[in-house]
mmCIF file of all heavy atoms in Angstrom:
data_model
loop_
_atom_site.group_PDB
_atom_site.id
_atom_site.type_symbol
_atom_site.label_atom_id
_atom_site.label_comp_id
_atom_site.label_asym_id
_atom_site.label_seq_id
_atom_site.Cartn_x
_atom_site.Cartn_y
_atom_site.Cartn_z
ATOM 1 N N ILE A 1 -3.650 64.496 32.457
ATOM 2 C CA ILE A 1 -4.013 63.762 33.662
ATOM 3 C C ILE A 1 -4.267 62.299 33.299
ATOM 4 O O ILE A 1 -4.750 61.997 32.216
ATOM 5 C CB ILE A 1 -5.250 64.388 34.351
ATOM 6 C CG1 ILE A 1 -5.522 63.727 35.700
ATOM 7 C CG2 ILE A 1 -6.471 64.344 33.456
ATOM 8 C CD1 ILE A 1 -6.540 64.487 36.546
ATOM 9 N N GLY A 2 -3.921 61.409 34.215
ATOM 10 C CA GLY A 2 -4.163 59.973 34.020
ATOM 11 C C GLY A 2 -3.002 59.140 34.523
ATOM 12 O O GLY A 2 -1.861 59.344 34.098
ATOM 13 N N SER A 3 -3.279 58.203 35.424
ATOM 14 C CA SER A 3 -2.208 57.416 36.047
ATOM 15 C C SER A 3 -2.207 55.944 35.649
ATOM 16 O O SER A 3 -1.335 55.192 36.082
ATOM 17 C CB SER A 3 -2.302 57.530 37.576
ATOM 18 O OG SER A 3 -3.540 57.020 38.032
ATOM 19 N N LYS A 4 -3.171 55.527 34.824
ATOM 20 C CA LYS A 4 -3.227 54.115 34.425
ATOM 21 C C LYS A 4 -2.324 53.890 33.205
ATOM 22 O O LYS A 4 -2.509 54.509 32.157
ATOM 23 C CB LYS A 4 -4.660 53.700 34.107
ATOM 24 C CG LYS A 4 -5.590 53.758 35.315
ATOM 25 C CD LYS A 4 -6.920 53.080 35.044
ATOM 26 C CE LYS A 4 -6.770 51.564 35.106
ATOM 27 N NZ LYS A 4 -8.073 50.867 35.091
ATOM 28 N N ALA A 5 -1.387 52.971 33.345
ATOM 29 C CA ALA A 5 -0.397 52.734 32.290
ATOM 30 C C ALA A 5 -1.045 52.329 30.970
ATOM 31 O O ALA A 5 -0.617 52.766 29.894
ATOM 32 C CB ALA A 5 0.601 51.667 32.746
ATOM 33 N N GLU A 6 -2.087 51.490 31.045
ATOM 34 C CA GLU A 6 -2.714 50.992 29.817
ATOM 35 C C GLU A 6 -3.501 52.067 29.066
ATOM 36 O O GLU A 6 -3.909 51.858 27.918
ATOM 37 C CB GLU A 6 -3.633 49.804 30.132
ATOM 38 C CG GLU A 6 -4.764 50.087 31.091
ATOM 39 C CD GLU A 6 -4.386 49.830 32.542
ATOM 40 O OE1 GLU A 6 -3.201 49.977 32.889
ATOM 41 O OE2 GLU A 6 -5.298 49.481 33.323
ATOM 42 N N MET A 7 -3.700 53.229 29.699
ATOM 43 C CA MET A 7 -4.458 54.308 29.065
ATOM 44 C C MET A 7 -3.563 55.417 28.521
ATOM 45 O O MET A 7 -4.065 56.406 27.973
ATOM 46 C CB MET A 7 -5.436 54.912 30.085
ATOM 47 C CG MET A 7 -6.574 53.998 30.491
ATOM 48 S SD MET A 7 -7.695 53.702 29.098
ATOM 49 C CE MET A 7 -8.386 55.340 28.881
ATOM 50 N N ILE A 8 -2.250 55.269 28.644
ATOM 51 C CA ILE A 8 -1.341 56.370 28.308
ATOM 52 C C ILE A 8 -1.497 56.835 26.863
ATOM 53 O O ILE A 8 -1.570 58.044 26.585
ATOM 54 C CB ILE A 8 0.120 55.976 28.605
ATOM 55 C CG1 ILE A 8 0.345 55.950 30.118
ATOM 56 C CG2 ILE A 8 1.092 56.966 27.953
ATOM 57 C CD1 ILE A 8 1.706 55.439 30.524
ATOM 58 N N ASP A 9 -1.551 55.915 25.911
ATOM 59 C CA ASP A 9 -1.647 56.314 24.506
ATOM 60 C C ASP A 9 -2.916 57.120 24.234
ATOM 61 O O ASP A 9 -2.878 58.145 23.536
ATOM 62 C CB ASP A 9 -1.630 55.069 23.607
ATOM 63 C CG ASP A 9 -0.265 54.423 23.541
ATOM 64 O OD1 ASP A 9 0.719 55.087 23.929
ATOM 65 O OD2 ASP A 9 -0.178 53.244 23.126
ATOM 66 N N THR A 10 -4.025 56.655 24.802
ATOM 67 C CA THR A 10 -5.294 57.368 24.619
ATOM 68 C C THR A 10 -5.244 58.749 25.261
ATOM 69 O O THR A 10 -5.657 59.751 24.664
ATOM 70 C CB THR A 10 -6.453 56.555 25.227
ATOM 71 O OG1 THR A 10 -6.519 55.287 24.579
ATOM 72 C CG2 THR A 10 -7.777 57.283 25.053
ATOM 73 N N LEU A 11 -4.729 58.809 26.486
ATOM 74 C CA LEU A 11 -4.656 60.078 27.205
ATOM 75 C C LEU A 11 -3.712 61.059 26.521
ATOM 76 O O LEU A 11 -4.000 62.265 26.436
ATOM 77 C CB LEU A 11 -4.185 59.830 28.644
ATOM 78 C CG LEU A 11 -5.136 59.021 29.528
ATOM 79 C CD1 LEU A 11 -4.429 58.562 30.790
ATOM 80 C CD2 LEU A 11 -6.376 59.839 29.866
ATOM 81 N N PHE A 12 -2.609 60.543 26.015
ATOM 82 C CA PHE A 12 -1.645 61.396 25.327
ATOM 83 C C PHE A 12 -2.234 61.936 24.032
ATOM 84 O O PHE A 12 -2.052 63.113 23.687
ATOM 85 C CB PHE A 12 -0.370 60.615 25.054
ATOM 86 C CG PHE A 12 0.765 61.440 24.499
ATOM 87 C CD1 PHE A 12 1.074 62.681 25.020
ATOM 88 C CD2 PHE A 12 1.544 60.953 23.446
ATOM 89 C CE1 PHE A 12 2.118 63.440 24.516
ATOM 90 C CE2 PHE A 12 2.586 61.696 22.927
ATOM 91 C CZ PHE A 12 2.876 62.944 23.463
ATOM 92 N N GLY A 13 -2.981 61.095 23.338
ATOM 93 C CA GLY A 13 -3.635 61.536 22.105
ATOM 94 C C GLY A 13 -4.653 62.630 22.364
ATOM 95 O O GLY A 13 -4.718 63.629 21.624
ATOM 96 N N ASP A 14 -5.432 62.465 23.430
ATOM 97 C CA ASP A 14 -6.421 63.482 23.791
ATOM 98 C C ASP A 14 -5.733 64.791 24.171
ATOM 99 O O ASP A 14 -6.164 65.882 23.761
ATOM 100 C CB ASP A 14 -7.271 62.982 24.962
ATOM 101 C CG ASP A 14 -8.208 64.054 25.481
ATOM 102 O OD1 ASP A 14 -9.157 64.412 24.766
ATOM 103 O OD2 ASP A 14 -7.981 64.548 26.606
ATOM 104 N N PHE A 15 -4.652 64.686 24.942
ATOM 105 C CA PHE A 15 -3.919 65.886 25.340
ATOM 106 C C PHE A 15 -3.376 66.619 24.120
ATOM 107 O O PHE A 15 -3.509 67.847 24.005
ATOM 108 C CB PHE A 15 -2.769 65.524 26.285
ATOM 109 C CG PHE A 15 -1.789 66.646 26.463
ATOM 110 C CD1 PHE A 15 -2.058 67.688 27.333
ATOM 111 C CD2 PHE A 15 -0.609 66.686 25.717
ATOM 112 C CE1 PHE A 15 -1.171 68.744 27.474
ATOM 113 C CE2 PHE A 15 0.280 67.732 25.853
ATOM 114 C CZ PHE A 15 -0.003 68.763 26.730
ATOM 115 N N LYS A 16 -2.731 65.897 23.220
ATOM 116 C CA LYS A 16 -2.150 66.539 22.025
ATOM 117 C C LYS A 16 -3.215 67.225 21.190
ATOM 118 O O LYS A 16 -2.976 68.313 20.636
ATOM 119 C CB LYS A 16 -1.405 65.494 21.182
ATOM 120 C CG LYS A 16 -0.084 65.055 21.779
ATOM 121 C CD LYS A 16 0.755 64.249 20.799
ATOM 122 C CE LYS A 16 0.118 62.915 20.483
ATOM 123 N NZ LYS A 16 0.982 62.096 19.600
ATOM 124 N N SER A 17 -4.387 66.625 21.125
ATOM 125 C CA SER A 17 -5.477 67.219 20.356
ATOM 126 C C SER A 17 -5.924 68.544 20.976
ATOM 127 O O SER A 17 -6.122 69.542 20.268
ATOM 128 C CB SER A 17 -6.661 66.241 20.307
ATOM 129 O OG SER A 17 -7.762 66.824 19.653
ATOM 130 N N ARG A 18 -6.061 68.565 22.306
ATOM 131 C CA ARG A 18 -6.477 69.794 22.983
ATOM 132 C C ARG A 18 -5.410 70.880 22.873
ATOM 133 O O ARG A 18 -5.719 72.055 22.664
ATOM 134 C CB ARG A 18 -6.794 69.502 24.458
ATOM 135 C CG ARG A 18 -8.115 68.785 24.663
ATOM 136 C CD ARG A 18 -8.468 68.636 26.136
ATOM 137 N NE ARG A 18 -7.652 67.626 26.788
ATOM 138 C CZ ARG A 18 -6.803 67.868 27.760
ATOM 139 N NH1 ARG A 18 -6.604 69.115 28.179
ATOM 140 N NH2 ARG A 18 -6.117 66.884 28.317
ATOM 141 N N LEU A 19 -4.144 70.482 23.017
ATOM 142 C CA LEU A 19 -3.059 71.451 22.896
ATOM 143 C C LEU A 19 -2.998 72.033 21.486
ATOM 144 O O LEU A 19 -2.862 73.253 21.306
ATOM 145 C CB LEU A 19 -1.722 70.800 23.247
ATOM 146 C CG LEU A 19 -0.486 71.697 23.115
ATOM 147 C CD1 LEU A 19 -0.558 72.882 24.072
ATOM 148 C CD2 LEU A 19 0.793 70.891 23.355
ATOM 149 N N LYS A 20 -3.105 71.179 20.486
ATOM 150 C CA LYS A 20 -3.053 71.639 19.096
ATOM 151 C C LYS A 20 -4.200 72.609 18.807
ATOM 152 O O LYS A 20 -4.018 73.622 18.118
ATOM 153 C CB LYS A 20 -3.121 70.436 18.147
ATOM 154 C CG LYS A 20 -2.927 70.791 16.682
ATOM 155 C CD LYS A 20 -2.892 69.532 15.817
ATOM 156 C CE LYS A 20 -2.673 69.882 14.357
ATOM 157 N NZ LYS A 20 -2.637 68.652 13.498
ATOM 158 N N GLN A 21 -5.387 72.300 19.354
ATOM 159 C CA GLN A 21 -6.531 73.184 19.157
ATOM 160 C C GLN A 21 -6.278 74.543 19.791
ATOM 161 O O GLN A 21 -6.536 75.595 19.189
ATOM 162 C CB GLN A 21 -7.786 72.550 19.774
ATOM 163 C CG GLN A 21 -9.052 73.400 19.704
ATOM 164 C CD GLN A 21 -9.573 73.586 18.291
ATOM 165 O OE1 GLN A 21 -9.143 72.897 17.367
ATOM 166 N NE2 GLN A 21 -10.493 74.518 18.112
ATOM 167 N N ALA A 22 -5.743 74.551 21.001
ATOM 168 C CA ALA A 22 -5.465 75.812 21.691
ATOM 169 C C ALA A 22 -4.399 76.618 20.953
ATOM 170 O O ALA A 22 -4.487 77.852 20.857
ATOM 171 C CB ALA A 22 -5.028 75.541 23.128
ATOM 172 N N GLN A 23 -3.394 75.941 20.419
ATOM 173 C CA GLN A 23 -2.291 76.636 19.747
ATOM 174 C C GLN A 23 -2.740 77.361 18.481
ATOM 175 O O GLN A 23 -2.064 78.286 18.032
ATOM 176 C CB GLN A 23 -1.166 75.652 19.442
ATOM 177 C CG GLN A 23 -0.384 75.230 20.673
ATOM 178 C CD GLN A 23 0.687 74.203 20.363
ATOM 179 O OE1 GLN A 23 0.449 73.223 19.639
ATOM 180 N NE2 GLN A 23 1.878 74.411 20.896
ATOM 181 N N LYS A 24 -3.860 76.971 17.934
ATOM 182 C CA LYS A 24 -4.388 77.669 16.762
ATOM 183 C C LYS A 24 -4.683 79.138 17.082
ATOM 184 O O LYS A 24 -4.709 79.980 16.188
ATOM 185 C CB LYS A 24 -5.681 77.001 16.273
ATOM 186 C CG LYS A 24 -5.511 75.624 15.671
ATOM 187 C CD LYS A 24 -6.859 75.066 15.255
ATOM 188 C CE LYS A 24 -6.746 73.659 14.690
ATOM 189 N NZ LYS A 24 -8.092 73.099 14.341
ATOM 190 N N TYR A 25 -4.912 79.420 18.353
ATOM 191 C CA TYR A 25 -5.327 80.758 18.756
ATOM 192 C C TYR A 25 -4.205 81.569 19.392
ATOM 193 O O TYR A 25 -4.456 82.651 19.931
ATOM 194 C CB TYR A 25 -6.508 80.648 19.732
ATOM 195 C CG TYR A 25 -7.697 79.927 19.141
ATOM 196 C CD1 TYR A 25 -7.959 78.602 19.472
ATOM 197 C CD2 TYR A 25 -8.540 80.556 18.233
ATOM 198 C CE1 TYR A 25 -9.042 77.928 18.932
ATOM 199 C CE2 TYR A 25 -9.627 79.904 17.676
ATOM 200 C CZ TYR A 25 -9.870 78.580 18.035
ATOM 201 O OH TYR A 25 -10.943 77.916 17.477
ATOM 202 N N ASN A 26 -2.975 81.064 19.336
ATOM 203 C CA ASN A 26 -1.857 81.832 19.882
ATOM 204 C C ASN A 26 -1.827 83.230 19.264
ATOM 205 O O ASN A 26 -1.952 83.391 18.049
ATOM 206 C CB ASN A 26 -0.531 81.126 19.600
ATOM 207 C CG ASN A 26 -0.240 80.018 20.596
ATOM 208 O OD1 ASN A 26 -0.834 79.958 21.672
ATOM 209 N ND2 ASN A 26 0.677 79.123 20.256
ATOM 210 N N SER A 27 -1.703 84.227 20.126
ATOM 211 C CA SER A 27 -1.754 85.614 19.664
ATOM 212 C C SER A 27 -1.063 86.492 20.695
ATOM 213 O O SER A 27 -0.431 86.002 21.630
ATOM 214 C CB SER A 27 -3.215 86.059 19.489
ATOM 215 O OG SER A 27 -3.878 86.065 20.746
ATOM 216 N N LYS A 28 -1.234 87.793 20.530
ATOM 217 C CA LYS A 28 -0.636 88.752 21.447
ATOM 218 C C LYS A 28 -1.083 88.527 22.889
ATOM 219 O O LYS A 28 -0.306 88.695 23.822
ATOM 220 C CB LYS A 28 -1.015 90.171 20.992
ATOM 221 C CG LYS A 28 -0.455 91.286 21.846
ATOM 222 C CD LYS A 28 -0.909 92.627 21.306
ATOM 223 C CE LYS A 28 -0.449 93.772 22.191
ATOM 224 N NZ LYS A 28 -0.911 95.091 21.680
ATOM 225 N N ASN A 29 -2.347 88.124 23.078
ATOM 226 C CA ASN A 29 -2.836 87.978 24.453
ATOM 227 C C ASN A 29 -3.342 86.562 24.777
ATOM 228 O O ASN A 29 -4.082 86.357 25.736
ATOM 229 C CB ASN A 29 -3.929 89.008 24.768
ATOM 230 C CG ASN A 29 -5.271 88.659 24.140
ATOM 231 O OD1 ASN A 29 -5.337 87.905 23.171
ATOM 232 N ND2 ASN A 29 -6.330 89.211 24.688
ATOM 233 N N PHE A 30 -2.923 85.597 23.973
ATOM 234 C CA PHE A 30 -3.273 84.193 24.233
ATOM 235 C C PHE A 30 -2.065 83.322 23.930
ATOM 236 O O PHE A 30 -1.507 83.377 22.824
ATOM 237 C CB PHE A 30 -4.460 83.755 23.378
ATOM 238 C CG PHE A 30 -4.925 82.344 23.657
ATOM 239 C CD1 PHE A 30 -5.975 82.103 24.530
ATOM 240 C CD2 PHE A 30 -4.315 81.249 23.049
ATOM 241 C CE1 PHE A 30 -6.405 80.809 24.794
ATOM 242 C CE2 PHE A 30 -4.734 79.959 23.304
ATOM 243 C CZ PHE A 30 -5.786 79.733 24.183
#
C-alpha cells in the first residue's frame, strides 16, 4: 500500500521484508 511516488522505495523495502518473513513459514498449510 502507498500512493506517494517519493515513498515508493521505502514502501517497497517494507513490503519485501514482510513477504520474506512470511515465506520463512511456507508449509503444507501456510
Side-chain angles (χ1 to χ4, degrees):
I1 187 168
S3 61
K4 295 192 77 170
E6 60 269 30
M7 291 293 293
I8 287 174
D9 288 344
T10 300
L11 295 166
F12 187 44
D14 174 69
F15 166 80
K16 286 192 293 184
S17 176
R18 285 186 286 116
L19 178 63
K20 186 175 181 180
Q21 177 68 13
Q23 287 177 314
K24 291 179 182 177
Y25 301 102
N26 278 343
S27 65
K28 180 181 176 181
N29 76 338
F30 183 96

